[in-house]
């Protein structure tokens, strides 16, 4: 990572806020899934609905939220989102049925849909394009690092004190994040209020279509988005059912789910660290290799579980680490390319389109996965997921040279002037 990035006060503040709130997120997510999946003995469909409640708001309101983030003060929107989510997490303490959990998670997902494009837009303001690959890698390292720390802390806290302290801590992390975000530098360009061009007020619909039009004109980003979306759809057929897969093991440790998630987080952290130091990579090649790696790890999870192999506390997290490392190879290069190629004034809209598309895959995948697992069993579903991902990666590799040629001819004129921030 470049030393100049370390001296960027606004970027560091944004990353610290992300670190704190992400730790809280993982504390509560693992606590909820453990509670519902193991203690309440929820069905595969009920477990899938937990993921859906967080994902549906992003799919439905992501494009609108992205337009909102380009029209209004991004810092204000992030602070508001954090404070509202802090209150919703507190409400989880009083949830006595799974439906109350669903309602709280839907609200949290709704304000996350507003936060994400605002954060990506602010990141574009704070970091120059020359440092964006390193910045996105560090962002991924923070996400994956908290994926390691969060489950470990959650397991300890839930075991010692129950779930309520976990939710209180998560709520507090949102408040601390909001306080930090207030100190971010203000944008030097105005994105508040209605947008006008030649005396004519631009509608939200026209703003949204501008983001869609930009994506349609960038063939490389369209291909990358297609790879990301399809792989997510296939992955989510099984990913949301890992707790069900663990039930198939005769001597599975009660902590196996949290430890497996930790292994996945370590894998993503390592890939982020590697890509932060080596930024001269070919994005499409890394993405396809990552898809293949995820397929291999999910397939082996099914095979080893079907064999009821001993020492699941070793091979489970090991395969989780491979899956996490591979996922980092898919997400980080694509997100860095989007940030670099997108003009600062439409970053929210572009990420709104991307988030809506990818989140739709995370909605369909768990729902369809829950149904298929119920009909055919969890082990065949994991084998099918692994096989499809491997096939997809090989097909992509056959056309890689053509895809990479399209990357080289992306017009430089589509890249807007980099936004900066004032103190």
């Amino acid at each position: 990572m470049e030393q100049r990035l370390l001296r960027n006060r606004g970027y560091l503040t944004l990353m610290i806020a992300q670190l704190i709130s992400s730790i809280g997120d993982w504390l509560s997510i693992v606590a909820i899934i453990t509670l519902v999946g193991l203690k309440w003995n929820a069905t595969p469909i009920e477990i899938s609905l937990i993921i859906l409640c967080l994902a549906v708001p992003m799919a439905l309101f992501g494009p609108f939220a992205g337009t909102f983030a380009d029209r209004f003060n991004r810092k204000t929107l992030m602070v508001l989102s954090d404070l509202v989510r802090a209150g919703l997490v507190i409400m989880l303490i009083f949830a006595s049925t799974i439906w109350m959990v669903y309602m709280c998670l839907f609200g949290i997902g709704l304000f996350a849909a507003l936060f994400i494009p605002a954060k990506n837009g602010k990141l574009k303001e704070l970091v120059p394009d020359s440092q964006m690959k390193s910045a996105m890698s560090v962002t991924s390292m923070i996400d994956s690092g908290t994926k390691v720390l969060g489950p470990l802390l959650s397991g300890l806290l839930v075991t010692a004190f129950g779930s309520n302290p976990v939710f209180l801590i998560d709520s507090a992390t949102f408040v601390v994040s909001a306080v930090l975000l207030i100190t971010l530098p203000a944008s030097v360009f105005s994105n508040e209020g209605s947008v006008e061009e030649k005396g004519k007020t631009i509608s939200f619909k026209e703003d949204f279509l501008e983001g869609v039009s930009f994506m349609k004109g960038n063939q490389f980003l369209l291909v990358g988005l297609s790879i990301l979306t399809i792989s997510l759809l296939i992955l989510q057929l099984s990913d949301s059912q890992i707790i069900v897969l663990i039930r198939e093991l005769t001597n599975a440790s009660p902590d196996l789910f949290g430890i497996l998630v930790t292994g996945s987080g370590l894998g993503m952290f390592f890939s982020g660290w590697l890509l932060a130091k080596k930024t001269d990579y070919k994005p499409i090649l890394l993405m396809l290799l990552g898809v293949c790696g995820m397929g291999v790890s999910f397939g082996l999870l099914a095979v080893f579980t079907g064999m009821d192999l001993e020492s699941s506390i070793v091979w489970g997290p090991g395969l989780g680490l491979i899956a996490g490392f591979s996922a980092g190879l898919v997400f980080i290069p694509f997100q860095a390319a989007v940030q670099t190629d997108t003009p600062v004034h439409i970053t929210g809209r572009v990420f709104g389109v991307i988030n809506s598309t990818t989140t739709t895959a995370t909605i369909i995948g768990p729902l369809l996965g829950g149904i298929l697992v119920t009909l055919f069993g969890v082990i065949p579903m994991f084998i099918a997921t692994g096989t499809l991902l491997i096939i997809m990666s090989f097909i992509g590799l056959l056309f890689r040279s053509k895809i990479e040629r399209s990357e080289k001819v992306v017009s430089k004129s589509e890249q807007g002037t980099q936004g900066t921030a004032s103190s």
Side-chain angles (χ1 to χ4, degrees), residues 303-382:
V303 172
F304 291 168
T305 300
M307 296 169 57
D308 203 12
L309 195 64
E310 295 291 336
S311 303
S312 60
I313 201 71
V314 176
W315 56 258
L319 290 174
L321 187 144
I322 295 173
F325 185 90
S326 301
L329 299 183
V330 177
F331 287 99
I332 297 172
F334 175 71
Q335 291 175 340
V338 174
Q339 285 281 15
T340 302
D341 289 356
T342 305
V344 64
H345 70 284
I346 62 169
T347 304
R349 275 164 279 179
V350 171
F351 272 97
V353 173
I354 293 171
N355 291 335
S356 179
T357 303
T358 56
T359 306
T360 298
T362 66
I363 292 173
I364 297 173
L367 183 59
L368 183 58
I371 295 173
L372 293 175
V373 166
T374 301
L375 292 176
F376 302 108
V378 66
I379 292 177
M381 198 65 249
F382 267 74

Side-chain angles (χ1 to χ4, degrees), residues 233-299:
L233 176 61
I234 298 172
L235 188 69
Q236 287 296 321
L237 294 174
S238 298
D239 188 58
S240 61
Q241 302 297 324
I242 287 180
I243 195 72
V244 180
L245 184 72
I246 291 174
R247 292 179 190 169
E248 299 292 314
L249 293 168
T250 303
N251 298 311
S253 167
D255 301 323
L256 181 57
F257 175 76
I259 298 174
L260 197 152
V261 172
T262 299
S264 175
L266 280 173
M268 291 193 70
F269 183 88
F270 290 144
S271 62
W273 174 80
L274 179 64
L275 295 180
K277 301 179 76 66
K278 184 177 176 58
T279 59
D280 58 339
Y281 51 75
K282 295 183 179 297
I284 291 296
L285 176 60
L286 286 187
M287 292 180 72
L288 293 172
L289 291 176
V291 171
C292 184
M294 290 190 296
V296 170
S297 58
F298 268 65

Side-chain angles (χ1 to χ4, degrees), residues 93-375:
I93 295 174
F94 306 100
S96 57
T97 67
I98 197 169
W99 288 104
M100 293 178 67
V101 172
Y102 291 158
M103 287 187 290
C104 291
L105 293 180
F106 186 90
I108 292 170
L110 180 62
F111 280 90
L114 180 63
F115 183 92
I116 292 174
K119 187 200 82 170
N120 284 319
K122 195 65 181 177
L123 181 65
K124 178 73 172 181
E125 295 176 27
L126 296 169
V127 179
D129 287 342
S130 61
Q131 300 174 26
M132 190 58 72
K133 285 185 176 180
S134 292
M136 294 306 299
S137 296
V138 172
T139 299
S140 176
M141 290 172 65
I142 291 174
D143 284 337
S144 54
T146 56
K147 191 176 181 180
V148 174
L149 182 60
L152 291 175
L153 290 176
S154 181
L156 293 173
L157 290 172
V158 171
T159 300
F161 306 108
S163 60
N164 286 354
V166 175
F167 297 137
L168 286 171
I169 293 172
D170 187 17
S171 179
T173 61
F174 278 122
V175 174
V176 174
S177 173
V179 172
L180 287 171
L181 292 174
I182 291 174
T183 68
L184 284 176
S187 172
V188 299
F189 70 94
S190 175
N191 61 343
E192 297 190 15
S194 61
V195 179
E196 296 185 358
E197 183 180 4
K198 295 181 180 180
K200 178 183 177 182
T201 299
I202 306 299
S203 69
F204 273 84
K205 179 180 178 181
E206 290 171 311
D207 272 350
F208 169 68
L209 291 178
E210 183 180 0
V212 174
S213 177
F214 175 81
M215 287 294 298
K216 290 172 65 176
N218 191 314
Q219 184 180 355
F220 171 70
L221 292 184
L222 277 180
V223 172
L225 179 59
S226 298
I227 294 173
L228 180 61
T229 303
I230 296 172
S231 62
L232 271 176
L233 176 61
I234 298 172
L235 188 69
Q236 287 296 321
L237 294 174
S238 298
D239 188 58
S240 61
Q241 302 297 324
I242 287 180
I243 195 72
V244 180
L245 184 72
I246 291 174
R247 292 179 190 169
E248 299 292 314
L249 293 168
T250 303
N251 298 311
S253 167
D255 301 323
L256 181 57
F257 175 76
I259 298 174
L260 197 152
V261 172
T262 299
S264 175
L266 280 173
M268 291 193 70
F269 183 88
F270 290 144
S271 62
W273 174 80
L274 179 64
L275 295 180
K277 301 179 76 66
K278 184 177 176 58
T279 59
D280 58 339
Y281 51 75
K282 295 183 179 297
I284 291 296
L285 176 60
L286 286 187
M287 292 180 72
L288 293 172
L289 291 176
V291 171
C292 184
M294 290 190 296
V296 170
S297 58
F298 268 65
L300 289 177
L301 275 173
V303 172
F304 291 168
T305 300
M307 296 169 57
D308 203 12
L309 195 64
E310 295 291 336
S311 303
S312 60
I313 201 71
V314 176
W315 56 258
L319 290 174
L321 187 144
I322 295 173
F325 185 90
S326 301
L329 299 183
V330 177
F331 287 99
I332 297 172
F334 175 71
Q335 291 175 340
V338 174
Q339 285 281 15
T340 302
D341 289 356
T342 305
V344 64
H345 70 284
I346 62 169
T347 304
R349 275 164 279 179
V350 171
F351 272 97
V353 173
I354 293 171
N355 291 335
S356 179
T357 303
T358 56
T359 306
T360 298
T362 66
I363 292 173
I364 297 173
L367 183 59
L368 183 58
I371 295 173
L372 293 175
V373 166
T374 301
L375 292 176

